Amino acid sequence: MKVNFKDVHIGEIIYTRVMEKDIHIDRICSFMKQEEEDIEKMYASKSLDTDILLRWSKLLEYDFFRFFSQHLILYAPPSSVNYNKTIKSVLPEFRKNLYTKEVIDFILDLIEKKEKSKVEVMNQYRIPKSTLHRWIVKYKK
């Protein structure tokens, strides 16, 4: 299954993981405290409540929230430098982007297939030139 980070359909992704793990529907219903019909509706849902997604992550031993983190890394508009410095937050500050192997492969695939140039990738996804160069050297096919 090739994941589309731009348009995440979490129900389909969960269903794929359930099939990979070969978990019986009775166990899923028991763990999720839901009826089989409700589970089927979740598979068809493009989005799910975070509490439910957390339960799926625990059951299937997979971090489904990463799909949304990757979406933000690739498609969220850059924030203003001045804006970030003026706001003090009690929330933790995450200093680095989480470039997973899937995101790196996605980016390198765009370049390899000439769908985007290196400059376009650096500008659109805000990936530093040195980082992109390191990926190309390290993960060259």
Side-chain angles (χ1 to χ4, degrees):
M1 171 183 200
K2 185 165 180 159
V3 177
N4 179 356
F5 289 112
K6 189 168 190 171
D7 187 31
V8 176
H9 190 294
I10 200 65
E12 290 177 356
I13 296 168
I14 289 170
Y15 180 75
T16 299
R17 182 66 175 177
V18 167
M19 293 296 104
E20 288 175 351
K21 300 273 291 182
D22 195 27
I23 298 177
H24 195 271
I25 189 67
D26 292 338
R27 179 170 176 230
I28 294 169
C29 291
S30 173
F31 186 87
M32 299 296 289
K33 298 179 175 96
Q34 301 281 334
E35 298 295 321
E36 186 173 345
E37 178 181 302
D38 298 321
I39 300 299
E40 294 293 332
K41 286 180 184 176
M42 288 183 211
Y43 294 154
S45 295
K46 185 170 170 29
S47 63
L48 293 172
D49 182 77
T50 54
D51 185 51
I52 292 171
L53 190 57
L54 184 59
R55 291 186 67 75
W56 278 112
S57 294
K58 290 175 182 179
L59 174 65
L60 300 175
E61 300 170 335
Y62 192 87
D63 182 1
F64 291 104
F65 293 94
R66 281 284 178 110
F67 289 96
F68 301 104
S69 298
Q70 299 309 319
H71 174 89
L72 289 174
I73 289 168
L74 293 171
Y75 300 104
S79 59
S80 167
V81 175
N82 294 333
Y83 178 75
N84 281 341
K85 291 188 180 191
T86 60
I87 294 179
K88 296 289 183 194
S89 177
V90 294
L91 298 174
E93 183 179 324
F94 301 105
R95 298 182 333 176
K96 279 195 153 188
N97 284 336
L98 303 171
Y99 295 117
T100 64
K101 181 72 169 97
E102 291 82 6
V103 168
I104 294 169
D105 289 344
F106 171 78
I107 296 293
L108 294 178
D109 197 44
L110 289 175
I111 294 170
E112 186 177 304
K113 291 180 179 176
K114 299 188 187 311
E115 292 176 29
K116 292 195 184 294
S117 69
K118 292 176 189 175
V119 173
E120 288 173 320
V121 165
M122 288 184 293
N123 291 337
Q124 184 174 353
Y125 302 117
R126 301 175 318 278
I127 297 173
K129 183 177 182 178
S130 59
T131 301
L132 185 59
H133 177 70
R134 208 170 325 121
W135 292 350
I136 291 170
V137 169
K138 185 173 181 178
Y139 300 107
K140 188 166 68 173
K141 295 178 180 177

